Amino acid sequence: MLCEHNIITALDAVSRLQWDAQFCRVAPRPYAALAYRIRGSAVIGCDGREYTVRPKEVLYLPQGLAYTAEYTDTELIVVHFTTQHPDEAIQVYTPTDSPAVCALFRHAHDLWRDKQPGYRALVTGALYTIWGTLEAQQRTGITADAFEAAVAYLHAHYTDSTLTVGDICAAAGMGESHFRRQFRRRYDQSPVAYVTARRLEYARDLIAGGTPVEAAAVASGFADPKYFARVVKQHYGCTPRDLKHYGR
């Protein structure tokens, strides 16, 4: 996290932007971005993961990452800056007091726009205030009940091939970054790895019980048979058809 492990070394811009629905591929950029979404949603893809950002949420994109972005009609306020060290993880924040966070972003934008003496130092201070507020609200705004609800939703829907971490978090009303941290703390693995393991167990039991391989793969949440075969090989060291002998 920026406030605890990294520092801002330079500001690039604070902008209020709008654009129409679009899909784009973004090459690695030499600056990070922290953006408050006023209107529209986004699905950000990076390193095999997807991050869903909705209105009134905040997205942090570290510098040096390549990613894809699928946007609906969008309006946001974004701060571009560089940090001492590149952060590894994208973060999605769901503020518990969204109007207050929006006001902080607007204030940073006004400072940058007006460019009064000392404005860069003031914007830097405003950015740290935004970050501290987001982290404080993440820690205090997510209850244990919300996390348990998210885990229960995962267990109820893990065989749905379209399930995403964003879906799980939206159902429980919590932010993705916080859910991922809490999940890894409890299960010592990512939600995606956990879901994959559960799907494999379910498919294995179906095949051992006589269900055809392709039908078992689909029923377990694997839409791509080739991917299913590859994952089975990685986890069990055999082909899917070999699983019919499991437990015998």
Side-chain angles (χ1 to χ4, degrees):
M1 299 173 201
L2 179 62
C3 291
E4 297 179 1
H5 306 298
N6 214 343
I7 62 171
I8 299 166
T9 57
L11 288 169
D12 185 73
V14 184
S15 307
R16 183 165 181 166
L17 304 174
Q18 298 183 52
W19 58 78
D20 296 333
Q22 59 180 279
F23 175 85
C24 58
R25 299 182 183 275
V26 181
R29 303 183 300 180
Y31 52 80
L34 189 69
Y36 178 89
R37 299 194 70 82
I38 299 171
R39 173 172 54 85
S41 61
V43 178
I44 306 298
C46 181
D47 293 334
R49 294 183 176 181
E50 286 191 345
Y51 304 82
T52 301
V53 197
R54 297 172 176 84
K56 300 182 180 180
E57 292 185 331
V58 177
L59 172 68
Y60 172 55
L61 286 168
Q63 62 204 39
L65 288 184
Y67 61 92
T68 61
E70 184 174 358
Y71 299 109
T72 63
D73 290 349
T74 289
E75 181 178 4
L76 53 74
I77 300 174
V78 58
V79 186
H80 289 132
F81 55 94
T82 56
T83 57
Q84 185 176 29
H85 308 291
D87 288 313
E88 295 182 357
I90 292 173
Q91 300 277 0
V92 179
Y93 295 91
T94 304
T96 56
D97 187 352
S98 184
V101 172
C102 181
L104 290 170
F105 271 87
R106 292 179 186 275
H107 177 58
H109 178 258
D110 291 345
L111 289 170
W112 186 268
R113 178 198 61 203
D114 295 342
K115 290 183 170 50
Q116 297 295 321
Y119 75 96
R120 285 185 175 273
L122 293 172
V123 173
T124 301
L127 182 53
Y128 277 117
T129 299
I130 289 170
W131 213 289
T133 300
L134 290 170
E135 289 294 336
Q137 291 191 13
Q138 273 307 71
R139 287 193 295 270
T140 61
I142 304 301
T143 66
D145 288 344
F147 178 72
E148 296 302 333
V151 171
Y153 188 88
L154 181 156
H155 285 147
H157 295 87
Y158 71 88
T159 57
D160 180 353
S161 63
T162 66
L163 182 70
T164 67
V165 173
D167 295 333
I168 296 167
C169 295
M174 66 185 301
E176 290 186 32
S177 58
H178 186 78
F179 174 72
R180 290 180 190 276
R181 288 195 297 270
Q182 290 293 96
F183 196 93
R184 185 173 289 278
R185 193 172 295 133
R186 174 181 292 189
Y187 294 100
D188 197 30
Q189 59 183 318
S190 71
V192 172
Y194 183 85
V195 166
T196 300
R198 291 299 299 267
R199 287 173 174 172
L200 280 170
E201 291 173 3
Y202 188 57
R204 178 196 65 194
D205 292 342
L206 288 176
I207 294 170
T211 303
V213 168
E214 289 189 8
V218 172
S220 305
F222 292 98
D224 183 349
K226 291 183 178 180
Y227 175 71
F228 175 61
R230 186 164 64 250
V231 175
V232 168
K233 184 69 173 180
Q234 290 173 348
H235 281 73
Y236 296 122
C238 65
T239 68
R241 295 189 186 281
D242 293 333
L243 294 176
K244 65 183 180 180
H245 304 297
Y246 178 78
R248 299 178 186 176

